[in-house]
Amino acid sequence: MSEDLHFPVEDARRLVATALLEDLGPQHRDVTTLATIPADQIRTAEVVARASGVVAGLPVVPEVLTQVAALLGAPQPQVSVLVADGTAVQRGDVLARLTGPTQVLLIAERTLLNILSRLSGVATHTRRWADELDGTGAMVLDTRKTTPGMRTLEKYAVRAGGGTNKRMGLYDVAMIKDNHKLAAGSVRAAYQAVVTRFPDVDVQVEVTTVAEALEAYAAGARFIMCDNMAPALLTETVAALRDRAASDGETVEIEATGGLSLEVAREYAQTGVDYLSVGGLTHSSPILDIALDLEDDGARPD
């Protein structure tokens, strides 16, 4: 499943390298492990879910191990991944089994768990939203409110949880907000400036009233984001936009954002919007507790 979700391999590789440098320092050393574990000791460890949730980021596990082994000049551990990203797991489920130099396993432990737990937390939170919206016709979107350096991975985790990615950055979709409208002079002026300068990108306009939504539509916008509207106002705005688009033989995509929570998600979805965008998918998801446990081989020092 992770292959279908398009795991961002190169971004993961860069993130792992940065995380290992942060953890091991410029000398690439774990003073505790290197002092207490013989370099030739081989052990098996399991990556285990400590809570129920949705797993995401398992391709990070072999990447971390590969980089640590290279830093130590040690053999690369064997990795058996036992579940696919996007899978709902229960406490106690074994996600992967690793066999290799104990030094490599223990030095890699925190880095792989930090990333895997973070991404699985995002996927778990997203799945709650996707389940809440099931059957409404509305989809949950992420935002740019991501952890610096982890955007593509966190957006991957959103996909693994059943959510949909919005724009990746400031470069692939234009979003005209209040400050842009103010600086340009009007909604129409801002919209025309964008489509003239960047005719190849989609343009979304943020609105807060019915009148502003219709103004944006009249300017040419077909992707409207309704910001911080109460359900009644949002329902009115959606109806007005749908009526105008229908009379023109056009379609319009409508997104709700601002002040959304799981408790009101379904109410907002039933206004007729196509999307609910939720910054909390990436900026407020708690981690999914995941551990790495060495198997007890029964060996004890004399």
Side-chain angles (χ1 to χ4, degrees), residues 11 24 51 72 186 207 267 279 286:
D11 289 336
L24 300 177
L72 296 183
S186 68
V207 302
E267 181 182 7

Side-chain angles (χ1 to χ4, degrees), residues 33 135 145 161 165 187 203 228 272 279 282 297 299:
T33 295
K145 297 175 182 177
N165 297 149
V187 171
V203 184
N228 280 297
T282 51
D297 62 2

